[in-house]
Amino acid sequence: DAEITQSPRHKITETGRQVTLACHQTWNHNNMFWYRQDLGHGLRLIHYSYGVHDTNKGEVSDGYSVSRSNTEDLPLTLESAASSQTSVYFCASSESLDRGYNEQFFGPGTRLTVL
Amino acid sequence: GESVGLHLPTLSVQEGDNSIINCAYSNSASDYFIWYKQESGKGPQFIIDIRSNMDKRQGQRVTVLLNKTVKHLSLQIAATQPGDSAVYFCAESRYNQGGKLIFGQGTELSVKP
């Protein structure tokens, strides 16, 4: 069955280190999204991509970057981790029948702790 | 778990009762409204959506009502079961925004056996 996976599921790192969170989907979806989830804020969009080599900034993109070299993967990189980036990170993907809304499918999440 | 468990509105219902979860939205230009369910330790899961030109949509045991006059969205769950215990999020999307979702803060539903 097609799915979306994230790795690692849990990560502890230190302030200033570079961290990369992986997201892999097997639906062949063109659209992929990264969100963070914090107490009191729901899910907030970090970056998103509509296809290979396309990336866009979301609501809370500072300190994060993404790259899209193939359809299946959208890794999220924290260039220099900060304690404020301690959060749970979710990746999602959707079809791109058009540029409108299509159902997003979410991965299981990565819990990141920055000490 | 991964879900937001504190500082959320909470709703506690008895098993078998109907549940109503409410959501207020601010953008009258939104084209779609979506409800997601998030169980502890898991990612959000799609429940049901509704276009902005509709007032009501029904699924299996769930109904979404949209009141554009007061910018209010509700999710009704019939015969609530223990497996319905989760955090429920509403989200909105605009057609010309490339499928991006804007999420509300969520409501935690607790079902008492």
Side-chain angles (χ1 to χ4, degrees):
Chain A
D1 286 344
E3 60 178 357
I4 182 166
T5 57
Q6 294 182 235
S7 62
R9 294 296 312 278
H10 301 271
K11 174 77 175 177
I12 300 175
T13 191
E14 295 176 341
T15 301
R17 289 189 180 265
Q18 184 182 78
V19 177
T20 297
L21 309 182
C23 175
H24 180 80
Q25 51 96 5
T26 58
W27 279 299
N28 203 36
H29 286 166
N30 280 329
N31 299 346
M32 295 185 74
F33 307 83
W34 271 105
Y35 297 87
R36 60 178 288 174
Q37 185 173 41
D38 305 288
L39 288 172
H41 286 280
L43 288 97
R44 292 182 291 175
L45 184 63
I46 305 172
H47 281 287
Y48 57 102
S49 168
Y50 291 136
V52 177
H53 302 311
D54 176 76
T55 61
N56 305 278
K57 294 182 179 181
E59 178 188 2
V60 290
S61 61
D62 287 348
Y64 303 94
S65 64
V66 293
S67 62
R68 188 89 180 271
S69 59
N70 58 52
T71 301
E72 295 80 18
D73 300 288
L74 186 69
L76 177 71
T77 297
L78 288 68
E79 302 293 344
S80 178
S83 58
S84 60
Q85 294 177 306
T86 293
S87 186
V88 180
Y89 292 85
F90 289 99
C91 180
S93 70
S94 69
E95 292 187 85
S96 60
L97 299 176
D98 50 40
R99 279 298 178 97
Y101 156 71
N102 292 288
E103 179 185 342
Q104 289 189 18
F105 297 85
F106 283 80
T110 294
R111 180 179 290 276
L112 176 67
T113 302
V114 183
L115 301 176
Chain B
E2 263 68 50
S3 65
V4 179
L6 298 176
H7 311 301
L8 288 177
T10 58
L11 175 65
S12 183
V13 300
Q14 202 70 37
E15 181 178 359
D17 288 350
N18 296 334
S19 303
I20 299 177
I21 301 171
N22 297 304
C23 178
Y25 65 92
S26 58
N27 194 335
S28 58
S30 293
D31 299 298
Y32 281 93
F33 299 89
I34 310 100
W35 281 100
Y36 278 87
K37 172 186 180 183
Q38 186 177 25
E39 298 176 46
S40 181
K42 297 183 179 180
Q45 181 180 16
F46 173 88
I47 302 173
I48 191 169
D49 58 16
I50 186 169
R51 283 178 178 261
S52 61
N53 62 355
M54 299 171 65
D55 298 320
K56 178 179 180 179
R57 189 173 186 207
Q58 288 185 290
Q60 186 176 11
R61 275 202 312 121
V62 296
T63 300
V64 57
L65 299 178
L66 176 62
N67 185 329
K68 293 180 286 293
T69 301
V70 295
K71 298 181 181 176
H72 184 267
L73 187 70
S74 69
L75 177 71
Q76 300 179 2
I77 304 173
T80 312
Q81 302 168 0
D84 295 325
S85 293
V87 177
Y88 290 81
F89 292 95
C90 64
E92 51 188 298
S93 180
R94 271 173 276 171
Y95 187 82
N96 63 355
Q97 293 290 306
K100 292 186 293 183
L101 298 177
I102 301 172
F103 283 86
Q105 291 192 12
T107 296
E108 184 170 13
L109 175 66
S110 176
V111 181
K112 296 177 288 186

